[in-house]
Amino acid sequence: MKVNLDKIVSLSKRRGFVFQSSEIYGGLNGCWDYGPLGVELLNNIKREWWQTMTLREDIEGIDAAILMHAKVWEASGHVANFTDPMVDCKECKARFRADQLEDAMCGNPAYKGRSAIKCMEDGKFTEPRQFNLMFKTFVGPVEEDAAVVYLRPETAQGIFVNFLNVLNCSRQKIPFGIAQIGKAFRNEINTKNFLFRTREFEQMEMQYFVRPGEDMKWFEYWKEERMKWFIELGLKKEKLQFSPHPEDKLAHYARAAVDIEYEFPFGWGEIEGVHNRTDFDLTQHSNYSSKMLEYYDDETKEKYIPFIIETSAGASRSFMTFLIDAYHEEEVRGEKRVVLKFHPKLAPIKVGVFPLVNRDGMPEIARNIFEDLRKYFRSFYDDKGAIGRRYRRQDEVGTPYCITVDSQTLEDQTVTIRERDSMEQIRIHMDNIKVFLNERLNNQ
Ligand code: GAP
């Protein structure tokens, strides 16, 4: 089924997944707010990632500050090189990334639908100039150069500069990793495609420190592990692919790099990068800080600067990917049914509880069940409207199970449990609901 991005954006707003930032003031381009269901989905994605990483014995977590010493970004190369080429249209004043004109449109309403490439060919653009993507700000009350700091454009540097701190306090031995989830900021020239390219976003990054010479083995290992993670959380295999960076396109510090790509409605796009960053980062920070970021191997009595294998996923981009991939439309008894087929671990609401009708003691029993369940699972109580409509409302936000209390409940204390994707219903005793849900929600 071909998914239309406009439908996803509209469902996201209507059901409280994502709102435009500062909407009542006309919005702020490239920034989005997560609503009540969106924040649940995002937290579930981050929790799954965090657990996958830090339940391992060889990975520690950290949470570094967003603002870092300005020297960090000189050492990392971001001050000099984290730029995109930008052109301005002399006529309509629109601004474009010079290397991404293929999918850009002319900003002049008079030429609606005209490709920006045509404008370039007609000589309407300025010469490209390099534009640094880092947001600058100032520490302290005086806006002077000495106090310039940047909002981090990636979380990775917070890990590199803490390499020795984590090594010393955790007593890890190489190979080991450090994982971090956090906000990153990039002043993208053109934001586009909903959450795909935004100015504020979240990353889930893990840097794995290895012995030089073993780097390619670990690069292959992490590439496979990361692809497995997306598939195990339900993304369709046929919509995923590896896209290796050709040798002549590798970043100056990388020995190998591969993107994990998803086939979005607008084409294939990167959701995560796996990079062999060599010893570049620790060498740079050693040189700029004059603190040697080395590892001493007590078995071989060798000292060396470890190589780094990086896994770098966007939490916000993964959010959009899981949302699009889960979106499903079908016809049921002549009516359209929209279902978000989230993996149960990601679903924002786990269970809906309904009385069939609002009389004969059914609401009281349903309410008791809900009060009990909500201590353990994110639950939703609904007694409004026809039962079919209540099921559809939960389907549309991806709730895996709905429980209904009906007249038979009054006789034998059983309830129906309806499964979202198959719409099949079974009856179970009220006392067994928690065990049933625990098995289905946590063990898949
Ligand atoms: N530390 C390496 C690094 O940051 P990257 O390829 O620039 O590598 C990694 O970014 C991931 O971060 C991307 O695969 C994507 O998921 C996410 N990402 C990057 N820029 C983004 C943006 N402007 N908006 C949303 N997500 C972004």
Side-chain angles (χ1 to χ4, degrees), residues 82 153-156 160 186 188 195-203 205 207 253 259-260 270-273 275 277 310 312-318:
F82 196 54
E154 61 172 13
T155 57
F160 304 143
R186 296 183 189 179
E188 300 282 358
L195 305 175
F196 187 79
R197 179 161 290 115
T198 56
R199 297 202 164 103
E200 175 175 340
F201 56 97
E202 259 182 302
Q203 288 187 314
E205 295 198 299
Q207 314 292 331
Y253 52 78
D259 293 339
I260 296 177
E270 172 192 341
I271 51 176
E272 171 155 354
H275 312 124
R277 301 183 64 114
E310 167 181 73
S312 175
S316 335
R317 212 178 267 184
S318 300

Side-chain angles (χ1 to χ4, degrees), residues 169 198 225 228:
C169 71
T198 56
E225 284 296 298
K228 217 162 60 185

